[in-house]
Amino acid sequence: MRSMGGERVEEAVASAVAVLRTVTDRDWEARAGRLEWSCRRTAEHTAGALLKYAGGLAGRAETRLPLTFGLAEDAGNDAALDLLRTTGALLVAAIRTTPREVRAFHPFPFHSANREGFAAMGVTEVLLHTHDIAEGLGLAYEPPAELCAYALTGIFPQVRPSPDHWRTLLWATGRGDLPGRAPVTEWHWYNNLVIPAERLTLEGITPAAAADLHTGGTGGFEWLDGEPFEGTREAAGMLVKAYEAGVHRPEWGVFVLVRKEDGRAVGSMGFHGPPDEEGRAEVGYDLVAGARGHGYATEALRSLAAWALARDDVGTLCATVERANTPSQGVITRAGFTRVGEDEETYAYARHR
């Protein structure tokens, strides 16, 4: 799975500038769609967002950038589009020069994002606000479906997809209706959750990465043995099914285990679904062959368990291990789990808060 972030931002900005360039002679003080802003203020905001994303990513920002931004009062509508094109190019450059594992501050919802997250946010800003401006100016606009799908599978993992990606994105952001779905009045996107461990980072994967893993790709990761273990592909398939059914909760999905020393993925770990009504959640994990015997699974499971059991909605973590899998039994025991049951083929383990 090759990183497409830069190309997607370029495409979104080029599409927006092309359509809005045809109406620069109109009054951009008109209200932009359902927003309280004018069309000119909306264009200014969009360019400012792209600049903030570029600056945050390039500077590895750890807090919100104290950046103010605005067009000169005597600048025309064409200048607003020139500014959008320029700030888009800055974001593209930041995305293309930032390593995959780098993260920078963003508030929603886990206080950081990687380059793909910033790319998806940039694409979303451009698509939605071009829609707002076009609506305010009485102009028809519909972006390429691939751009909408990129945004949805990257930072809207909680939204059940539909065949019409553009209408789904508009609905998910309170700008339209979808048959059979209640109107959206409050929303925000979801960047992936990352959980730190001593030698590893547990990186939550998006539906886009899960789909790529499930169909034989890398998910955008550099794997220690060249590809993930089969269990990772199966878990990714479960995530894709949950996403398509509209029941995926991003923090209860699959995490890829990435070594801090070299950025290589060594395995995966995650949940079979969100906690049930009794606060029970089931975990599973695997490692590529070349990473076994180094304590990575134990380290990752301790961190994942600590994160989960610190939540109010989780009281017990469960796991099932085959009787013949002695190494996995050692991992689960060292991570603080206790054997609580068995059958002819497996042992059942649990760890309580």
Side-chain angles (χ1 to χ4, degrees), residues 43-174:
E44 184 180 65
H45 163 83
T46 308
L50 299 184
L51 180 61
K52 289 180 181 179
Y53 296 161
L57 191 57
R60 282 48 165 172
E62 297 182 356
T63 59
R64 188 188 300 271
L65 290 180
L67 177 66
T68 58
F69 183 85
L71 281 165
E73 290 187 6
D74 60 348
N77 297 331
D78 278 305
L81 297 180
D82 291 340
L83 192 60
L84 179 62
R85 183 171 51 81
T86 300
T87 54
L90 290 174
L91 178 56
V92 169
I95 292 167
R96 288 176 173 167
T97 56
T98 299
R100 186 206 57 76
E101 64 272 15
V102 167
R103 301 187 72 82
F105 176 80
H106 190 276
F108 295 125
F110 304 117
H111 309 298
S112 72
N114 60 13
R115 66 187 185 189
E116 291 297 336
F118 279 104
M121 289 187 288
V123 167
T124 302
E125 292 274 6
V126 172
L127 298 188
L128 295 180
H129 290 318
T130 300
H131 162 79
D132 297 332
I133 296 170
E135 191 172 57
L137 298 176
L139 181 68
Y141 170 70
E142 181 166 342
E146 293 82 2
L147 288 177
C148 306
Y150 177 78
L152 287 166
T153 57
I155 56 173
F156 291 91
Q158 78 285 10
V159 173
R160 176 165 56 91
S162 80
D164 192 329
H165 302 307
W166 177 226
R167 304 293 170 230
T168 302
L169 183 60
L170 291 176
W171 169 82
T173 57

Side-chain angles (χ1 to χ4, degrees), residues 4 12 20 31 49-50 61 76 78 104 121 124 147 204 218 282 310 314 332:
M4 294 293 294
L20 294 178
R31 180 174 172 176
L50 299 184
D78 278 305
M121 289 187 288
T124 302
L147 288 177
T218 66
E282 185 175 359
V314 180
I332 202 92

Side-chain angles (χ1 to χ4, degrees), residues 197-226:
E198 182 180 352
R199 296 171 296 166
L200 304 169
T201 301
L202 285 67
E203 298 189 16
I205 62 172
T206 64
D212 186 64
L213 282 167
H214 182 54
T215 55
T218 66
F221 296 89
E222 182 180 352
W223 291 86
L224 181 62
D225 288 354

Side-chain angles (χ1 to χ4, degrees), residues 33-50:
R34 303 185 186 187
L35 303 182
E36 297 296 328
W37 297 333
S38 69
C39 293
R40 179 182 175 86
R41 174 70 184 93
T42 302
E44 184 180 65
H45 163 83
T46 308
L50 299 184

Side-chain angles (χ1 to χ4, degrees), residues 16-36:
V17 170
V19 70
L20 294 178
R21 193 75 80 179
T22 64
V23 289
T24 53
D25 58 334
R26 299 186 188 179
D27 181 11
W28 280 40
E29 292 303 320
R31 180 174 172 176
R34 303 185 186 187
L35 303 182
E36 297 296 328

